[in-house]
Amino acid sequence: MGIMIRRLSTMRRLEIISVTNSAGVAPALLSSTAAFAENLALPSPLRNHHRLTNSIRFLESRSLVTFSSSCLSSSSAAYLPTLDEFSSTTSSVARDDDNQKVVLKGMSYAALQEWVESHGFRPGQAMMLWKRLYKDNVWANDADELEGLNKDFKRMISEHAEFGALSLKDVRSASDGTRKILFTLDDGLVIETVVIPCDRGRTTVCVSSQVGCAMNCQFCYTGRMGLKRNLTAAEIVEQAVYARRLLSHEVGSITNVVFMGMGEPFHNIDNVIKAANIMVDENGLHFSPRKVTVSTSGLVPQLKRFLRESNCALAVSLNATTDEVRNWIMPINRKYKLSLLLETLREELSSKHKYKVLFEYVMLAGVNDSMDDASRLVELVQGIPCKINLIQFNPHSGSQFVQTDEDQMIKFRNVLAGGGCTVLMRFSRGNDQMAACGQLGMLGSVQAPVMRVPERFRTALKASV
């Protein structure tokens, strides 16, 4: 009995859980109006413990939380998620196979070190393993690539650990050099990652945090999918590792990470923070925290937590200057209004030194691109250290919206700049391979509902709703 208690205690401290087949819960998440996963109390942070002997089995299985669904009709006047808190649904850090193997890239360094010690090896060997996973241009994907590690250590790793959480499905190249990488997950679901080269010597990898998305932003193709499940920390981290391993020789050093792929990162905040911490570890992938940017549609409680726990950069997808428009194109605004979102940023950023939030603003012709919108935007961001990124809308199948033309974007930018704002402009990259902002994912037979269009905006759209 004492041994069993120690096993379970170690499991909790190391944050290692096993995976169950998420395909079984996917039908319950048919659209972005489905209920979010129930709250889950994640294992407590690592604490010191007595070293386990080799006779103690290290891993114990733990089942996933269950999902509930509560769909609203597309004509519903009030879209609101069913939970007060957008807690992370959790998936695996370890695979539930016969050998109870842990996925190495799902662990923080502290957890990896404790795992290595639990098998009777020295802490220094954990650092050697960590560096071969993430550093020195090794990016090891199997035990044969662990050069410099002794045979017994490599044998233990082969017997008790897995290197990868993703399987490469395809790499597609756009005419402008952008690459879209498709990965298959253990449960057969597919995610997409984008690598964006830049002439200025900066190359960015755009990672996904979920399969699909629950936010149902009306201009986003991923949002049409609804949410299938969250990605684990291992599945997020490995996207960046794969990008470096596959493409560094073609596009040069990958210097930046943006959490702007499939999914709402703050709806999976536990795994996103964990993955970001691994990415910025100085002995690991060693991205600068200011070059790892996590984007959100505006989940206020998670935004507060992120700003207090992480040194990485924050982007907020704003896209409207009134609640009327934002309620329509970003239904999360019905829960967290513009005023609450912006006031939270003012308060939280007041105590952070030399920190600026990036506001993302997708420009939709006749919807949010008027000069009145530009003037309102100047007023809305007063008192918030920020930059504003004006983003060209990227059309996709079934889209209602039309791109703002470049001349109008420039006029909009000039109003912002005249109001004292720092403004950037982002034009489409990779759109001929559906790799541009808002184009990732693949629709299934059931899709998220289209929100009712306010009467005065219907003429601005390509088709009436």
Side-chain angles (χ1 to χ4, degrees):
M1 178 64 71
I3 289 177
M4 179 61 71
I5 291 172
R6 289 198 299 274
R7 290 181 199 166
L8 295 174
S9 177
T10 299
M11 284 291 297
R12 284 191 289 269
R13 286 194 295 268
L14 291 176
E15 304 176 5
I16 294 176
I17 58 176
S18 62
V19 67
T20 60
N21 187 355
S22 63
V25 300
L29 296 169
L30 297 179
S31 77
S32 64
T33 55
F36 296 109
E38 299 296 337
N39 287 317
L40 175 71
L42 293 180
S44 58
L46 294 171
R47 300 185 181 91
N48 294 327
H49 74 290
H50 295 295
R51 182 171 175 176
L52 299 179
T53 64
N54 288 334
S55 62
I56 299 177
R57 282 184 60 84
F58 185 78
L59 301 173
E60 297 283 334
S61 64
R62 177 173 177 178
S63 61
L64 290 176
V65 296
T66 58
F67 294 85
S68 62
S69 63
S70 176
C71 292
L72 303 175
S73 69
S74 61
S75 62
S76 173
Y79 163 75
L80 284 178
T82 59
L83 294 184
D84 290 333
E85 294 293 335
F86 287 77
S87 59
S88 290
T89 59
T90 188
S91 294
S92 67
V93 174
R95 292 177 180 166
D96 191 13
D97 59 17
D98 292 339
N99 296 319
Q100 298 280 297
K101 290 188 174 182
V102 64
V103 180
L104 294 174
K105 295 187 182 77
M107 289 190 283
S108 64
Y109 176 70
L112 180 69
Q113 179 178 315
E114 192 167 5
W115 178 76
V116 166
E117 289 186 82
S118 76
H119 285 276
F121 294 92
R122 295 177 290 102
Q125 290 171 292
M127 179 56 72
M128 294 173 69
L129 173 58
W130 182 262
K131 288 183 176 181
R132 280 152 184 77
L133 291 174
Y134 300 122
K135 201 174 178 66
D136 301 329
N137 295 333
V138 178
W139 309 309
N141 204 38
D142 58 54
D144 293 336
E145 297 178 349
L146 298 177
E147 297 181 3
L149 274 61
N150 71 49
K151 291 188 296 184
D152 290 340
F153 189 36
K154 290 169 68 173
R155 185 183 305 112
M156 183 280 291
I157 294 169
S158 296
E159 292 173 356
H160 297 283
E162 292 281 0
F163 283 78
L166 306 175
S167 297
L168 181 63
K169 178 181 173 70
D170 195 11
V171 180
R172 299 173 183 173
S173 297
S175 58
D176 61 11
T178 299
R179 309 309 203 274
K180 181 164 77 169
I181 311 172
L182 280 69
F183 295 107
T184 303
L185 309 180
D186 281 350
D187 51 15
L189 296 172
V190 176
I191 60 169
E192 298 178 357
T193 305
V194 179
V195 176
I196 309 164
C198 179
D199 293 338
R200 298 190 298 272
R202 179 188 68 206
T203 296
T204 299
V205 57
C206 177
V207 300
S208 296
S209 56
Q210 296 179 306
V211 186
C213 184
M215 298 299 106
N216 196 19
C217 296
Q218 297 294 283
F219 50 83
C220 180
Y221 192 66
T222 310
R224 306 293 301 131
M225 294 175 60
L227 175 66
K228 303 300 187 293
R229 72 167 173 89
N230 280 345
L231 297 184
T232 66
E235 290 164 339
I236 298 170
V237 169
E238 196 166 8
Q239 293 174 66
V241 174
Y242 247 114
R244 280 188 167 175
R245 183 182 174 96
L246 286 173
L247 298 173
S248 288
H249 66 288
E250 295 182 28
V251 301
S253 176
I254 295 175
T255 57
N256 294 54
V257 182
V258 292
F259 284 72
M260 298 178 185
M262 299 167 64
E264 161 56 62
F266 284 0
H267 192 194
N268 185 18
I269 190 167
D270 297 290
N271 289 328
V272 163
I273 288 179
K274 189 175 182 181
N277 287 342
I278 293 172
M279 290 177 182
V280 302
D281 188 285
E282 62 182 8
N283 290 308
L285 291 173
H286 201 190
F287 288 101
S288 166
R290 294 302 172 91
K291 293 184 178 181
V292 175
T293 303
V294 181
S295 177
T296 181
S297 58
L299 278 65
V300 170
Q302 286 73 12
L303 183 150
K304 289 182 179 180
R305 176 182 165 187
F306 176 81
L307 288 173
R308 295 171 185 180
E309 294 184 16
S310 176
N311 290 323
C312 293
L314 171 68
V316 174
S317 190
L318 202 61
N319 307 318
T321 62
T322 67
D323 283 326
E324 178 191 20
V325 174
R326 204 165 191 267
N327 285 348
W328 160 36
I329 65 174
M330 299 184 70
I332 188 62
N333 195 74
R334 303 187 182 198
K335 187 173 183 69
Y336 301 114
K337 298 291 187 184
L338 269 172
S339 58
L340 174 63
L341 173 61
L342 297 173
E343 188 55 37
T344 299
L345 287 168
R346 284 188 189 91
E347 293 175 0
E348 294 296 323
L349 296 184
S350 65
S351 60
K352 293 182 77 73
H353 182 59
K354 293 184 178 180
Y355 190 101
K356 291 185 177 182
V357 63
L358 177 66
F359 285 117
E360 301 168 294
Y361 197 93
V362 177
M363 301 203 68
L364 308 171
V367 174
N368 66 357
D369 65 346
S370 70
M371 296 305 102
D372 287 342
D373 282 304
S375 297
R376 279 194 296 268
L377 185 53
V378 171
E379 295 301 317
L380 286 173
V381 301
Q382 290 300 308
I384 303 174
C386 68
K387 297 179 181 180
I388 300 174
N389 196 3
L390 303 181
I391 302 171
Q392 189 173 45
F393 170 66
N394 297 299
H396 49 78
S397 176
S399 168
Q400 309 172 69
F401 300 102
V402 179
Q403 283 184 340
T404 297
D405 64 54
E406 189 170 336
D407 287 342
Q408 183 74 0
M409 287 185 69
I410 292 171
K411 292 177 183 177
F412 196 98
R413 179 200 62 187
N414 291 343
V415 172
L416 299 181
C421 298
T422 301
V423 191
L424 312 170
M425 295 180 68
R426 187 203 304 175
F427 295 99
S428 295
R429 295 290 306 274
N431 57 351
D432 59 331
Q433 287 294 337
M434 287 290 287
C437 179
Q439 290 185 328
L440 302 186
M442 181 177 296
L443 301 187
S445 57
V446 179
Q447 300 173 18
V450 175
M451 305 303 289
R452 179 179 293 164
V453 180
E455 182 69 32
R456 67 190 183 92
F457 292 107
R458 293 188 181 185
T459 58
L461 306 182
K462 289 192 298 185
S464 296
V465 178

